[in-house]
Amino acid sequence: MSRSLPPLRRAELLVGAMTLDEKILEIHMMDTREHPREVPAIERLAVPAFKITNGPAGAGPGDSRDPQPATALPSALALAASWDTALAESFGRVAAQEVARRRENLLEAPGVNIARVPQNGRNFEYFGEDPFLASRLVVREIRGIQGQGVIAEVKHYAANNQEADRKTINEVIDERTLREIYLPAFEAAVKQGDVGAVMCAYPSVNGQFGCENTHLLKEILRGEWGFEGFVQSDYTATHSAVPSALAGLDLAMKPDHYDAEMKAAVTSGKLSETVVDAMLVRRFGQMFRFGLFDPPLAAKPVSLEKNGEIARAIAEQCAVLLKNAGRQLPLDAKAIHSVAVIGPYAGAAHTGGGGSSAVKPLYTVSPVDGIRRHVGAGVSVSYDDGADPAAAAALAAKSDVALVMVGNKDREGRDRPDLSLEGKQDQLVSAVAAANPHTVVVLKTGGPVLMPWLERVPAVLEAWYPGEEDGNVVADLLFGDASPSGKLPVTFPKAGGDTPAHTPQQYPGVGGTAVYSEGLEVGYRWYDARNIAPLFPFGYGLSYTSFAFRHLSLSPPTTKGEARVSLDVTNTGSRAGADVIQVYVAAPPAAGEPPKQLKGFAKVTLRPGQTEHVTVTLDPRAFSTWDTAAGRWTTARGRYRILVGDSSRDLPLQGSIEIGAGAR
């Protein structure tokens, strides 16, 4: 209990004082209705109870019988659409403040699995299809969480890319694809974020379950990356005692294999007790690091009202303006007399997706209420749930503006059957658009959807899952109190068959195996490599103002391997707004990489007429590929093209850098 000792030394002393029964008690959760996601206390040794809760969209319920309300933040995919690392830190800070306020110790977040399959029911919990974007966001969210004295847990390690058959599927992934696409965000969480915990996933990767995968857990996570924290299983992802322990699983969520089976393995000599000791040292070391054994500090005051304001501000910067023909938006409340608010996602706030990430919101603001408060008593606001498209069209026909809110409710445990909106929603949009030329569609989705009606509506706003402040968020954006600045973190395809994993062998798999035969061509890399035009490309997003990029300047890599990209960005419109400078690198053909890949970005906010000189630093990994034979990162010699703009398909500034070969 001496705080003068290093955390790991304190952990070693504690484990040395424990009996085998006490050790076994501490390597799994109780998993009872009264004590869900909780490891018991040991009063004899001053070991506190260790309490865990869900977290990708705020302080989750922790499986408790009476879920405690918390600030329902926008979805993680929405956060990714902000392309704003400072917002990611604020997001993590809000969630962790409320976890700490409840005297809970670990937040199961962030989630960083790549959106390989756009219909994955859990993509809304993750940061999109690009590993670099996910890597930048995860580091800052971890900083926000752990700065509040709460342990962050990055998940689901690794390649948890579908909900279909997630507990039984075996994923065949070549090493280069694993290293370049599916592992970089986890690597950043460990090396740059110093994350305290990692959750291992359900799927098997190349024949081994995630929570007993020696290559992923032992060789890469601990051996190569030097991870010093602990590994926790997903809920029922532990399949054994000895193989899991030897691979590096420290804490099981259920007692099944880590209770009697583990004790029998130790007492029979099948497993050395020192392995169990190491498991405990790793977790206790993090608990000591975060002060969980020390006398609790006075609870920090948490302003739930302030956190709601932060949730609103974050959600407004996440929305992506997909279409705005004829400057339909922003709406002028002084120039209209009647608004029809229509659709299944217009009557109540869409606070988030379903499953373990669902937050019980402290309060909600419905779109109808948000819009009514915004326009005031002088504007008539009518509502129709859209169940009858003909009735909704009749309402739209007699209104100045029709706002149609459609979407989906993605959830853990299932994937969408396809990318179409459910039920009669497409029919609803078409009917309303035919009745009123001033129709605005607001999408509230957990990922890409098809839009067969797109040519018939002048404006489309993707709001994702906005959280508890839904109504205020959409009102602020539609009426111009906030300017859309989000950029797509996922590609929206024109047709379901255009997606990278479009064969049964790739997804959902055949005979229990999914083959990642698309390799590196995930997301926009696939569309670029195959010359497929998307509906909306990765990185795309409009604004209520306009921007110009000029004066590109490139500095060759320094002795540390860093290169600098500089340019001037000017707001050429009449409103303040923000844009995202995106830097893509096209490797020389000999490298065998996709046509181009995101390797840097920066978000800038500018007043009308304002110019800012922006510099984006490209780290050595921007020019590196994984050499499987050599087992290391290498850099091919040659000319690397640098492409700069504000979407993956709008890159007006281009230059090149010559680089020599060498390992990174």
Side-chain angles (χ1 to χ4, degrees), residues 312-371:
R312 177 177 178 172
I314 292 174
E316 288 174 356
Q317 295 181 66
C318 298
V320 181
L321 183 59
L322 296 175
K323 183 177 181 180
N324 194 23
R327 296 187 179 181
Q328 178 73 41
L329 296 175
L331 301 171
D332 184 354
K334 297 178 181 178
I336 57 179
H337 304 287
S338 57
V339 178
V341 184
I342 296 167
Y345 292 90
H350 196 359
T351 58
S356 62
S357 70
V359 173
K360 181 180 180 180
L362 288 158
Y363 63 89
T364 61
V365 180
S366 76
V368 173
D369 288 343
I371 290 165

Side-chain angles (χ1 to χ4, degrees), residues 140-179:
R140 292 294 294 272
E141 184 174 339
I142 290 168
R143 183 184 300 175
I145 293 168
Q146 297 192 160
Q148 303 303 307
V150 173
I151 300 173
E153 182 172 71
V154 67
K155 65 181 191 178
H156 304 85
Y157 185 70
N160 196 145
N161 306 121
Q162 65 187 66
E163 290 298 283
D165 305 320
R166 61 176 175 161
K167 296 186 179 182
T168 57
I169 196 72
N170 175 42
E171 301 165 335
V172 178
I173 313 172
D174 70 87
E175 189 69 12
R176 181 173 177 180
T177 297
L178 198 62
R179 299 285 189 153

Side-chain angles (χ1 to χ4, degrees), residues 537-618:
F538 175 83
Y540 172 87
L542 302 174
S543 173
Y544 290 157
T545 187
S546 56
F547 300 89
F549 290 7
R550 303 185 182 95
H551 309 136
L552 178 67
S553 173
L554 304 177
S555 300
T558 64
T559 55
K560 293 182 179 180
E562 294 180 339
R564 287 179 174 78
V565 178
S566 299
L567 66 151
D568 291 332
V569 183
T570 303
N571 182 340
T572 56
S574 59
R575 300 173 64 98
D579 203 7
V580 178
I581 297 92
Q582 302 169 36
V583 181
Y584 295 81
V585 175
E593 290 288 281
K596 64 177 179 289
Q597 300 184 84
L598 179 73
K599 297 297 180 180
F601 65 89
K603 192 167 189 176
V604 294
T605 301
L606 301 172
R607 301 183 304 274
Q610 182 183 2
T611 297
E612 184 169 327
H613 187 68
V614 179
T615 297
V616 177
T617 300
L618 304 180

Side-chain angles (χ1 to χ4, degrees), residues 221-424:
L221 180 64
R222 290 212 166 91
E224 295 181 28
W225 299 347
F227 177 58
E228 295 182 347
F230 66 95
V231 175
Q232 173 197 317
S233 75
D234 206 338
Y235 195 61
T236 59
T238 307
H239 293 271
S240 63
V242 175
S244 297
L246 292 176
L249 173 62
D250 302 309
L251 179 65
M253 286 193 73
K254 293 180 75 68
D256 300 357
H257 299 281
Y258 267 37
D259 195 356
E261 184 180 335
M262 184 70 79
K263 183 178 179 181
V266 173
T267 56
S268 68
K270 291 181 180 178
L271 184 72
S272 171
E273 190 170 346
T274 60
V275 175
V276 177
D277 292 349
M279 292 158 56
L280 289 166
V281 166
R282 287 190 285 260
R283 181 168 67 86
F284 288 148
Q286 295 301 311
M287 292 176 66
F288 281 119
R289 171 190 169 193
F290 284 90
L292 305 185
F293 280 83
D294 303 328
L297 300 173
K300 296 179 181 178
V302 176
S303 171
L304 300 178
E305 181 179 348
K306 180 65 175 178
N307 283 353
E309 293 173 2
I310 295 171
R312 177 177 178 172
I314 292 174
E316 288 174 356
Q317 295 181 66
C318 298
V320 181
L321 183 59
L322 296 175
K323 183 177 181 180
N324 194 23
R327 296 187 179 181
Q328 178 73 41
L329 296 175
L331 301 171
D332 184 354
K334 297 178 181 178
I336 57 179
H337 304 287
S338 57
V339 178
V341 184
I342 296 167
Y345 292 90
H350 196 359
T351 58
S356 62
S357 70
V359 173
K360 181 180 180 180
L362 288 158
Y363 63 89
T364 61
V365 180
S366 76
V368 173
D369 288 343
I371 290 165
R372 280 179 175 148
R373 286 205 293 263
H374 201 96
V375 299
V379 179
S380 170
V381 177
S382 304
Y383 164 66
D384 186 287
D385 66 6
D388 180 348
L395 176 64
K398 59 183 183 182
S399 303
D400 292 339
V401 175
L403 306 177
V404 187
M405 301 193 187
V406 291
N408 60 30
K409 182 76 169 181
D410 284 347
R411 63 173 299 109
E412 178 183 358
R414 73 177 187 206
D415 292 341
R416 282 189 262 158
D418 54 45
L419 297 181
S420 298
L421 291 170
E422 293 178 348
K424 298 180 179 179

